[in-house]
Amino acid sequence: MKNLIGAGLAQKIAIAGVVLALAGCSFLQKENFTVAGEITDQGQECVTFRAEDGTLYALANKASRVRPGDKVRVTGHLALMTTCSEATTLIVDKIVVLSPGN
């Protein structure tokens, strides 16, 4: 019985360590940047965005009101984990439509 209690405690400590490590990674990765470009129609699961430098991004959250061809400016940070498989994913903090597409 005593071993079971000790095993449960060790497991809880291990889980807490993993949670803290992931939280630390998330904190370190949350460096916001702003990039301009155009919404594309290349996404299947997520809205996609081609930056002016040619980089393709998948946009997570706050990107539902944009359409392919819209010129936009996006502020956000890179996602650590995502369901978007099209490209590197940005977690969008702010998106501004500079000019609507056709």
Side-chain angles (χ1 to χ4, degrees):
M1 181 81 171
K2 198 173 192 180
N3 286 340
L4 284 175
I5 294 171
L9 180 60
Q11 184 178 20
K12 288 177 184 174
I13 291 171
I15 290 170
V18 169
V19 169
L20 287 173
L22 289 174
C25 289
S26 176
F27 174 75
L28 293 174
Q29 291 290 324
K30 197 173 178 175
E31 184 176 319
N32 279 10
F33 61 95
T34 301
V35 62
E38 184 174 326
I39 300 297
T40 73
D41 61 357
Q42 295 174 276
Q44 303 245 339
E45 297 172 12
C46 299
V47 174
T48 52
F49 165 78
R50 176 83 53 195
E52 290 175 340
D53 69 359
T55 304
L56 182 68
Y57 294 100
L59 303 179
N61 74 353
K62 298 185 184 179
S64 61
R65 295 187 178 164
V66 294
R67 301 287 173 249
D70 289 353
K71 306 275 193 229
V72 297
R73 183 174 52 243
V74 178
T75 300
H77 59 276
L78 296 177
L80 289 176
M81 296 183 349
T82 181
T83 59
C84 301
S85 60
E86 294 88 354
T88 300
T89 302
L90 290 179
I91 304 297
V92 177
D93 291 323
K94 182 178 180 182
I95 187 165
V96 175
V97 176
L98 303 173
S99 66
N102 299 330

